[in-house]
Amino acid sequence: MDWFSLLLEGLTLATLVTAHIAFTCRLSGKPAKCRYFAGYLLFLCAVDAVSRALALGEAFAAAGELLALFAFSRLALKSSRPLSCAAAVLAVYTSQLSSGIVGSLECIAFIGITGTPLLYPLVILAVLLAFALCWGSCQLILKCLPPQEEPDPYLRLPLLTSVFFFAAEVFFTQTVYGRLSVPAPAEPGKHLGLLALQVLGLSALLCTLHAYRRACQGQRAQAALDALSQAARAQRTYIQEARTREERTRSLRHDLNSHLTVLEGLLNTGRTEDGTAYLASLRTAAEALSPAFHTGSAVIDILLADKLETARGVEAEVSLLWPRKSGVDDFDLCVIFANALDNAVRACLAVPEPGSLRITGRRQGNFYRLSFENTCPPGPLPPMGTGLRNIKAAAEKYHGAMLAEKEDGRFQLHVLLDISGQSEDRSEQRP
């Protein structure tokens, strides 16, 4: 290998390493570190040496880059499996596509200059142009993809399209162009056709990713609408329950003088036992007007009574006292408790033996921690659904967090909310 080929090889590998690692880190939302670039560069050098020694071709090098980027994303960046696949395929495909487009331009532009000293700077310029095109394409892809705050099971849909484009581009690269060799400037019409196909491939990929982003936005908007609808239903339940309780209280208050007159008559005539029984019935009627739970929040009390009433046979334990001034809006409380209780009751009813549900709340410094623990069917922790995403969004609104875990047939959901400067000391008490 002469000095020019060595320089070209080093420049090509450097641009590949920069584009691949920077794109993968950006897509994963993690910072790029120098050791990532160094480690990936050493790996590519080893793959290139093996490929040259065994004459394995461009497909082997591309497969090595795919595996290396996937392993890097999974092990170093701790990304999900779909996101790691997408990062590897998109990064390698974009670099292959950029090289192919520039390769077509080389075949057309190098007519008449092959064998002249002008060829060397133009080849270097072509490598830099391929890097610039790859970098710009990566930025467009990042703009087309939605933010990856959490693992997205639907990411495999655009990934399949990307794999098809990637396979076609590897075929073009291996059969028509080489990574380092200068292609023969023959049949410019064929190279124009290949250039058009590759530009269309890039356009199709960007359109697919843009459509995927719009679909994700629609899904998130629907999830937000579902949260609003659920909170609205919880608010209607709260209002209806409050009206019913007010009507019962008004009725009892209206008849209170009559009840007292009857009780006084029974006591004055010496009918003590009848008076005691009548007083017990009055006490029962008064207790029926009180909520089944006393957490310090009317919203939580009514939601607990409404949701747990449907969970017949489920042993429920509630131990929390909500601060009077927490700074948390009742609407968000509805979102948290309605979703958490729906999931818990559904899981308890799904097990054959009688289920159990335990709800606790305790202040921890400037935060209030809510915990929901319930029995659930065996198996791994399921992916986060709409209900948990709504709870997570409500928790983050108050600078808090949500944690879901599953162990020994028990599902645990912890919600942390910032109530600094808002709550009173009574949240430290236990009912």
Side-chain angles (χ1 to χ4, degrees), residues 67-81:
L67 292 176
L69 283 177
F70 177 80
F72 162 70
S73 182
R74 287 286 288 165
L75 301 177
L77 302 181
K78 308 298 182 183
S79 299
S80 64
R81 188 176 290 106

Side-chain angles (χ1 to χ4, degrees), residues 90-428:
L90 291 174
V92 178
Y93 166 67
T94 305
S95 62
Q96 292 281 340
L97 182 65
S98 302
S99 299
I101 291 176
V102 173
S104 296
L105 293 175
E106 284 180 310
C107 289
I108 299 170
F110 286 178
I111 297 177
I113 64 171
T114 304
T116 66
L118 187 60
L119 179 65
Y120 295 100
L122 288 180
V123 171
I124 296 294
L125 180 62
V127 174
L128 297 177
L129 179 61
F131 172 71
L133 180 60
C134 178
W135 185 261
S137 300
C138 288
Q139 301 308 307
L140 289 176
I141 289 174
L142 290 170
K143 288 183 179 180
C144 290
L145 283 172
Q148 299 294 327
E149 297 94 351
E150 57 195 33
D152 188 353
Y154 300 104
L155 190 60
R156 58 177 57 93
L157 297 179
L159 182 58
L160 292 175
T161 305
S162 303
V163 169
F164 169 75
F165 291 143
F166 171 73
E169 183 57 34
V170 169
F171 175 77
F172 288 151
T173 304
Q174 188 167 9
T175 57
V176 182
Y177 310 115
R179 176 182 289 182
L180 296 177
S181 60
V182 178
E187 303 182 27
K190 180 184 71 174
H191 298 300
L192 280 174
L194 290 175
L195 175 62
L197 283 176
Q198 293 175 109
V199 171
L200 287 175
L202 177 60
S203 302
L205 175 64
L206 293 176
C207 290
T208 301
L209 296 178
H210 179 70
Y212 167 68
R213 180 186 181 93
R214 296 296 297 270
C216 290
Q217 290 174 344
Q219 183 187 27
R220 289 187 174 90
Q222 184 61 45
L225 181 61
D226 291 342
L228 291 174
S229 300
Q230 188 178 49
R233 288 195 299 270
Q235 290 283 14
R236 285 196 297 269
T237 301
Y238 165 70
I239 293 172
Q240 182 61 36
E241 182 68 21
R243 287 175 177 173
T244 301
R245 190 177 300 162
E246 176 62 24
E247 290 174 0
R248 292 176 181 174
T249 303
R250 188 184 301 113
S251 176
L252 181 62
R253 188 167 54 245
H254 179 269
D255 298 334
L256 184 59
N257 287 331
S258 300
H259 291 307
L260 291 177
T261 299
V262 172
L263 182 61
E264 183 181 14
L266 292 173
L267 294 176
N268 288 337
T269 57
R271 300 168 60 184
T272 307
E273 292 183 0
D274 292 337
T276 302
Y278 196 84
L279 182 61
S281 64
L282 284 178
R283 181 179 291 109
T284 301
E287 290 176 351
L289 299 176
S290 302
F293 299 93
H294 303 273
T295 64
S297 167
V299 172
I300 298 177
D301 293 344
I302 292 175
L303 282 175
L304 287 172
D306 179 65
K307 301 296 183 182
L308 296 181
E309 184 179 1
T310 63
R312 299 296 184 182
V314 176
E315 181 182 351
E317 177 186 352
V318 180
S319 177
L320 71 91
L321 193 59
W322 190 254
R324 287 196 182 95
K325 297 180 180 180
S326 65
V328 179
D329 190 83
D330 287 346
F331 181 90
D332 298 307
L333 276 180
C334 283
V335 171
I336 294 172
F337 274 85
N339 283 290
L341 290 171
D342 282 342
N343 292 341
V345 170
R346 191 181 304 113
C348 287
L349 297 179
V351 297
E353 66 275 1
S356 63
L357 168 62
R358 186 169 185 265
I359 305 170
T360 60
R362 180 182 294 274
R363 181 172 180 175
Q364 296 179 338
N366 292 329
F367 290 85
Y368 195 88
R369 177 180 177 178
L370 291 167
S371 297
F372 301 82
E373 182 181 348
N374 57 271
T375 53
C376 61
L381 185 68
M384 186 180 299
T386 302
L388 289 181
R389 280 197 292 266
N390 292 338
I391 295 175
K392 182 173 182 289
E396 291 175 348
K397 178 179 177 181
Y398 296 95
H399 311 290
M402 185 204 76
L403 174 64
E405 52 189 0
K406 187 176 181 181
E407 184 178 1
D408 298 332
R410 305 285 297 182
F411 178 82
Q412 296 182 2
L413 174 66
H414 305 285
V415 182
L416 203 62
L417 302 170
D418 184 5
I419 57 171
S420 57
Q422 299 293 333
S423 63
E424 301 177 357
D425 254 352
R426 65 192 295 269
S427 63
E428 292 286 342

Side-chain angles (χ1 to χ4, degrees), residues 23-34:
F23 174 79
T24 304
C25 291
R26 283 281 306 279
L27 185 60
S28 304
K30 306 293 176 57
K33 300 180 181 179
C34 293

